Amino acid sequence: QGSVDCPNLEFEYGDADGHGAELAELYSYTEEPELSHNRRCFEEDFHTQVPDRRWLELDGAQQKAYVMRLLDGLEVVNRDKRLRVARAILYLAQGVFGDCDNEGDVLHWSRHNSFLLYQLGTFTAFLELLNMEIENSQACSSALRKPAISLADSTELRVLLSVMYLMVENIRVEQEVDPPEWKTCRETFRMELSFPVHTEEPFALLLFTMVTKFCSGHAPHFPMKKVLLLLWKVLLFTLGGFEALQAMKVRRREELGLPALPEDSIQVVRGMRAASPPTCAIELVEQQQQQQQQQKRGHRSRRPLMKQDSLDIYNERDPFKNDEAGVDEEESDDVDTGIEGELDLMERDAIIPAMPAQRLPIERVSFPKGLPWAPKVRQKDIEHFLEASRNKFIGFTLGQDTETLIGLPRPIHESVKTLKQHKYVSISDVQIKNEEELEKCPMSLGEEEVQETPCEVLYRAMLYNLPQYMIALLKILLAAAPTSKAKTDSINILADVLPEEMPITVLQSMKLGIDVNRHKEIIVKSISALLLLLLKHFKLNHIYQFEYVSQHLVFANCIPLILKFFNQNIMSYITAKNSISVLDYPHCTVYDLPELTAESLEAGDNNQFCWRNLFSCINLLRILNKLTKWKHSRTMMLVVFKSAPILKRALKVKQAMMQLYVLKLLKIQTKYLGRQWRKSNMKTMSAIYQKVRHRMNDDWAYGNDIDARPWDFQAEECTLRANIEAFNSRRYDKPQDSEFAPVDNCLQSVLGQRLELPEDFHYSYELWLEREVFSQPIRWEELLHYQ
């Protein structure tokens, strides 16, 4: 599916999908029968306690009294009775759908009951039960002995995690009609999850521990999808989403006395339009036909972009084929495939018959005038520019002095003035400078004041096991990626989607196939979103916290993993229809399900793309950008893994935000790809110019930059690692016998202290004095050596 078939995708990127969609993704289709089981558990108990009444008819006091009775039932020793009570509570959190007439009512009562449950202490009770289940060695050992794990092995865990997820998600989402006590409730819950009172660690850390335990193979029955969804939502709730991040960034810049941000990046990206992607296979076939006609008429013709795009045709036939097998663009030595060919293609858009005629003028007219981003300049760029100018005109340099312009010609003065106008100092620059000063003068600067933010608490808790958490997340991401082949040694992430009895009919197999694909997509979505959140929040909190996480992601092969993910037919991934809308919650709870047929499996989903898959793709591209930005060693990894053709294929998705992050990744490596690649990809180069922020004297389009020289890339990572370790040990390792610990030097107070001496000391004291003091000559010259 090429650019001709792909219309502009009307996709709005945000922290998460719509509220109903996020709740629906909690349940697998194989879990559907459990919804009615939860209802039975609730109604059997409810009708014995409150006969001839419905839950919706009770007033607030009666509802509270009934929930308190249910919570008492969680205290019983019998495991089955506990599970029945937990299921009844889950039914309340699911919105008492048996009493509702439509989906809106179910969602309304789900929110109402979640707030009620929280106010009565349900979350704390379920946290205790979750801790018990995690430590349940009997369940772990029985799961380890089984040849195939199914839904039945994680029943208790799934019920507990579902209740906790529904409470977190319902309380997290704000609505204008919320009463004031709900707003208070939300803040209390956020504080409770961020700053633990009873335990030593935040709730997110417990979930991270579950992830590592699952990946180590000690607990293969953990329902990983639910754990990851809950972990992502807890981080989103406690740390804040993208708009909260932007507000925090603005506030932090004010505190540090830095100038305001030149623009709101969220708004700029939302206002962008998708560009027409590079040439696709269909256009190429038409090109060849046109050239053959021209040759018949006797015209001399060029062969534009033949070598370049033959790769794209090849890859579309076999999306999982490794690019190394094809001809790489950089190796193309056809001189005729140059700028003329690319420009010729740009002019030929109007000739393509498959493109609807009415869409072309709209795209041309609505393209934004002017460049979307204000240019930025770093302090380092001004220093480089002045160093080169002084060397050229005066013959010596003045180090980091950016003020002295004596002896330089007038145009250089103007250039420096323009560069300084666009100079941008980031929060990270200030943090790095402060860190250098603290390392240099630990005594005079004293203790650093660290704000106790939710982010700081989380980092401190995660610090010592952080590498294991990152490796575990990437292992699961690899297992869930559509390009991964099923290996015997890879982890089984399908334990919480496979039923006890495998399907016997073709339709049941189709349904399970859709369910498994959907399950994997949801896992990719949650991991990509939570990794991006962690990176963005740690970067704002302290640059070296971000660098620590980044470095461990890079060491765990995150860069090739993301490229492997994109090395597929990305259009078919984004337009995948792995959902059965009639089986989605809350639809399935209020409407009778139609008979399972091939038509009913596909009915109801008319979207032009899958929201979660496009969301995942953008998140992964943003993570890749965060890992590689300003890191030449990692940019070289992009080049070595031949990412250019993979990324160029991703441009076929006509969505502005996704294209922006692909173009950013192409921009940072253009100078390493060679002149021939740049000549053959002029359309991509012009898209980079139009959409990506300009750095005033960044030589990305020519490759003459001093940073492009391939030397000493390992030193860069080693220096960074040393800085991170120094930061972590200074701030988080507080040894008692530190050389900076206070020492009592007063003779009177030292001699006045009473010391408990051992009993045998009294007997041997005189002997010790004779041997160690009186009989030893004092060598004064040795004392002089120690000075």
Side-chain angles (χ1 to χ4, degrees):
Q1 295 184 17
S3 56
V4 173
D5 307 314
C6 180
N8 280 328
L9 303 182
E10 297 302 321
F11 168 81
E12 189 166 328
Y13 184 80
D15 292 323
D17 203 348
H19 187 52
E22 289 295 339
L23 295 187
E25 288 181 354
L26 178 64
Y27 312 103
S28 303
Y29 297 142
T30 43
E31 284 180 278
E32 223 66 60
E34 294 191 17
L35 290 168
S36 51
H37 188 20
N38 299 340
R39 181 180 174 182
R40 276 198 308 278
C41 289
F42 172 80
E43 287 178 348
E44 283 168 15
D45 185 75
F46 186 69
H47 291 317
T48 57
Q49 302 301 324
V50 193
D52 307 323
R53 298 286 296 277
R54 293 164 68 211
W55 174 260
L56 311 188
E57 294 166 1
L58 301 185
D59 61 27
Q62 290 169 321
Q63 287 181 348
K64 280 182 181 177
Y66 178 69
V67 171
M68 290 303 283
R69 280 203 74 267
L70 277 180
L71 290 175
D72 287 342
L74 289 176
E75 307 274 324
V76 297
V77 177
N78 187 310
R79 192 180 171 83
D80 291 333
K81 284 182 182 173
R82 268 208 318 265
L83 180 61
R84 290 183 69 77
V85 173
R87 281 193 181 282
I89 292 172
L90 176 54
Y91 176 70
L92 283 174
Q94 285 170 339
V96 287
F97 47 81
D99 296 352
C100 297
D101 301 322
N102 57 50
E103 295 178 39
D105 285 353
V106 177
L107 293 175
H108 165 77
W109 281 103
S110 180
R111 287 194 84 222
H112 174 274
N113 292 345
S114 293
F115 277 98
L116 176 69
L117 288 168
Y118 172 68
Q119 285 163 343
L120 298 175
T122 312
F123 194 86
T124 314
F126 271 70
L127 184 54
E128 286 174 17
L129 290 174
L130 181 65
N131 274 309
M132 275 169 54
E133 278 303 321
I134 292 169
E135 299 304 322
N136 185 347
S137 55
Q138 188 185 346
C140 292
S141 56
S142 71
L144 285 166
R145 282 198 304 271
K146 283 192 177 182
I149 302 170
S150 68
L151 274 173
D153 295 291
S154 59
T155 307
E156 285 89 350
L157 276 168
R158 282 186 296 106
V159 170
L160 298 175
L161 289 165
S162 295
V163 171
M164 294 170 109
Y165 178 86
L166 287 166
M167 288 174 71
V168 168
E169 183 62 0
N170 279 320
I171 295 173
R172 179 188 75 81
V173 175
E174 293 183 48
Q175 290 182 4
E176 288 178 12
V177 292
D178 289 352
E181 62 267 21
W182 282 14
K183 290 178 182 171
T184 316
C185 222
R186 182 177 296 117
E187 282 313 304
T188 314
F189 193 22
R190 182 186 278 132
M191 295 297 282
E192 190 181 309
L193 291 173
S194 309
F195 306 105
V197 182
H198 306 298
T199 56
E200 292 299 311
E201 55 190 33
F203 177 54
L205 201 77
L206 177 69
L207 299 173
F208 271 119
T209 313
M210 286 184 80
V211 174
T212 48
K213 201 171 176 185
F214 171 80
C215 282
S216 64
H218 297 311
H221 65 298
F222 280 1
M224 243 331 94
K225 184 188 83 173
K226 285 184 168 55
V227 173
L228 291 165
L229 279 172
L230 180 55
L231 176 55
W232 165 38
K233 290 301 167 64
V234 166
L235 292 178
L236 191 56
F237 187 27
T238 55
L239 304 181
F242 299 128
E243 290 191 1
L245 255 166
Q246 187 75 4
M248 284 155 68
K249 195 173 180 182
V250 169
R251 200 166 59 246
R252 182 66 70 85
R253 288 185 71 81
E254 276 177 19
E255 287 168 9
L256 294 171
L258 296 172
L261 291 164
E263 70 275 290
D264 184 340
S265 51
I266 295 172
Q267 296 308 322
V268 174
V269 174
R270 278 184 187 157
M272 276 189 172
R273 298 283 297 163
S276 195
T279 336
C280 73
I282 300 167
E283 292 171 285
L284 265 170
V285 172
E286 289 188 1
Q287 243 175 39
Q288 287 172 310
Q289 289 169 355
Q290 194 186 18
Q291 285 165 7
Q292 285 163 4
Q293 287 167 4
Q294 282 181 341
Q295 283 166 353
K296 281 175 189 170
R297 293 185 202 129
H299 288 302
R300 177 184 175 279
S301 70
R302 291 176 184 252
R303 218 165 38 104
L305 280 176
M306 246 347 268
K307 275 220 167 151
Q308 168 65 34
D309 278 88
S310 60
L311 185 67
D312 284 2
I313 302 173
Y314 181 70
N315 277 321
E316 272 172 21
R317 277 196 224 117
D318 184 1
F320 304 116
K321 188 75 178 168
N322 195 335
D323 286 307
E324 289 173 20
V327 181
D328 191 34
E329 290 104 322
E330 199 176 325
E331 291 161 11
S332 163
D333 54 1
D334 193 347
V335 182
D336 281 347
T337 66
I339 300 169
E340 297 87 356
E342 185 85 44
L343 292 173
D344 182 34
L345 270 176
M346 288 167 78
E347 297 304 317
R348 278 191 63 255
D349 279 354
I351 303 167
I352 299 164
M355 183 77 82
Q358 71 274 17
R359 203 161 68 233
L360 264 172
I362 298 168
E363 284 189 4
R364 291 276 163 87
V365 171
S366 63
F367 204 84
K369 289 178 182 175
L371 298 170
W373 304 99
K376 280 183 181 176
V377 178
R378 295 182 299 168
Q379 176 69 17
K380 190 178 161 189
D381 297 330
I382 302 174
E383 287 168 12
H384 278 328
F385 176 73
L386 274 170
E387 190 176 357
S389 303
R390 285 177 186 138
N391 261 330
K392 183 178 177 182
F393 293 106
I394 309 172
F396 64 86
T397 60
L398 297 175
Q400 294 180 337
D401 183 345
T402 56
E403 301 304 318
T404 311
L405 301 176
I406 297 162
L408 295 173
R410 192 84 210 144
I412 300 293
H413 287 236
E414 293 296 323
S415 302
V416 172
K417 185 182 170 188
T418 309
L419 288 173
K420 284 183 176 175
Q421 274 175 353
H422 294 284
K423 181 180 162 186
Y424 175 77
V425 179
S426 68
I427 295 168
S428 305
D429 295 338
V430 177
Q431 288 170 341
I432 290 170
K433 199 174 175 187
N434 288 348
E435 196 57 34
E436 283 172 2
E437 287 173 4
L438 282 164
E439 282 291 322
K440 227 181 275 178
C441 321
M443 299 294 281
S444 56
L445 291 174
E447 280 290 314
E448 178 195 17
E449 274 188 44
V450 182
Q451 284 184 323
E452 199 72 349
T453 60
C455 193
E456 182 64 33
V457 171
L458 180 66
Y459 182 79
R460 199 166 51 236
M462 285 176 70
L463 181 61
Y464 295 106
N465 291 317
L466 199 137
Q468 288 91 305
Y469 300 146
M470 295 305 118
I471 290 166
L473 288 172
L474 292 182
K475 264 189 183 178
I476 299 170
L477 185 60
L478 176 64
T483 48
S484 292
K485 304 285 184 289
K487 288 181 186 168
T488 48
D489 60 338
S490 66
I491 47 175
N492 174 22
I493 52 168
L494 303 177
D496 52 329
V497 71
L498 297 175
E500 276 186 282
E501 295 172 4
M502 292 309 277
I504 44 173
T505 67
V506 174
L507 278 169
Q508 285 175 334
S509 299
M510 281 173 67
K511 178 186 160 191
L512 184 59
I514 290 171
D515 207 1
V516 164
N517 288 337
R518 174 177 177 267
H519 182 81
K520 287 182 173 181
E521 288 172 6
I522 294 166
I523 286 176
V524 172
K525 171 188 172 181
S526 52
I527 291 179
S528 66
L530 78 88
L531 279 178
L532 181 61
L533 265 181
L534 281 177
L535 287 171
K536 285 187 80 67
H537 276 282
F538 285 152
K539 188 170 185 185
L540 185 60
N541 200 49
H542 199 289
I543 183 66
Y544 284 137
Q545 295 177 351
F546 161 81
E547 295 292 8
Y548 188 52
V549 177
S550 301
Q551 203 160 53
H552 280 293
L553 285 172
V554 172
F555 292 161
N557 279 337
C558 186
I559 292 175
L561 169 55
I562 294 176
L563 292 174
K564 180 184 171 70
F565 179 89
F566 279 98
N567 193 19
Q568 58 171 312
N569 188 339
I570 210 73
M571 273 309 302
S572 62
Y573 183 71
I574 277 166
T575 54
K577 295 275 191 289
N578 287 316
S579 55
I580 307 164
S581 52
V582 290
L583 295 181
D584 278 339
Y585 169 91
H587 184 281
C588 64
T589 59
V590 285
Y591 299 108
D592 292 329
L593 299 182
E595 194 183 344
L596 198 65
T597 62
E599 288 74 34
S600 70
L601 288 180
E602 294 171 7
D605 188 2
N606 301 318
N607 296 330
Q608 57 173 170
F609 60 89
C610 172
W611 197 96
R612 70 172 158 264
N613 289 355
L614 191 43
F615 177 71
S616 303
C617 287
I618 291 174
N619 288 342
L620 289 170
L621 287 167
R622 293 183 77 182
I623 291 166
L624 201 49
N625 267 294
K626 291 221 161 294
L627 297 182
T628 51
K629 190 177 180 181
W630 303 121
K631 306 281 189 307
H632 302 298
S633 52
R634 298 175 194 175
T635 306
M636 284 306 290
M637 285 174 81
L638 291 178
V639 179
V640 168
F641 292 123
K642 301 197 173 174
S643 65
I646 297 170
L647 292 168
K648 203 182 153 205
R649 272 204 309 281
L651 286 173
K652 288 179 183 172
V653 180
K654 287 182 83 173
Q655 203 283 322
M657 192 170 190
M658 182 158 165
Q659 284 185 344
L660 171 69
Y661 290 110
V662 171
L663 292 169
K664 279 184 168 191
L665 287 165
L666 284 168
K667 178 185 173 180
I668 59 173
Q669 56 177 316
T670 46
K671 58 190 172 196
Y672 303 112
L673 291 173
R675 190 171 161 210
Q676 188 59 48
W677 187 91
R678 295 195 290 272
K679 270 178 73 180
S680 308
N681 288 276
M682 285 307 291
K683 197 168 185 180
T684 307
M685 298 288 278
S686 86
I688 291 171
Y689 177 80
Q690 284 172 333
K691 290 195 173 300
V692 183
R693 188 192 299 279
H694 287 271
R695 297 273 169 179
M696 285 276 193
N697 38 5
D698 181 8
D699 206 4
W700 67 273
Y702 301 99
N704 303 325
D705 197 327
I706 192 163
D707 288 337
R709 295 176 192 169
W711 65 57
D712 224 4
F713 286 130
Q714 285 308 310
E716 184 184 56
E717 287 289 348
C718 291
T719 309
L720 180 61
R721 192 171 189 176
N723 289 341
I724 294 164
E725 283 174 358
F727 163 76
N728 281 337
S729 65
R730 182 189 64 73
R731 194 185 270 195
Y732 303 107
D733 295 348
K734 300 272 171 91
Q736 295 306 307
D737 56 343
S738 164
E739 59 182 300
F740 301 126
V743 177
D744 187 355
N745 291 323
C746 177
L747 193 64
Q748 283 179 324
S749 68
V750 172
L751 292 176
Q753 286 175 6
R754 287 196 62 79
L755 283 175
E756 291 297 321
L757 297 168
E759 224 172 287
D760 57 343
F761 181 78
H762 297 289
Y763 301 122
S764 57
Y765 172 60
E766 290 178 353
L767 189 66
W768 179 84
L769 267 179
E770 185 62 41
R771 192 179 67 236
E772 297 293 333
V773 182
F774 302 140
S775 65
Q776 291 289 336
I778 299 170
R779 298 186 182 89
W780 297 106
E781 69 279 1
E782 277 189 24
L783 280 175
L784 293 172
H785 290 309
Y786 291 121
Q787 289 300 316

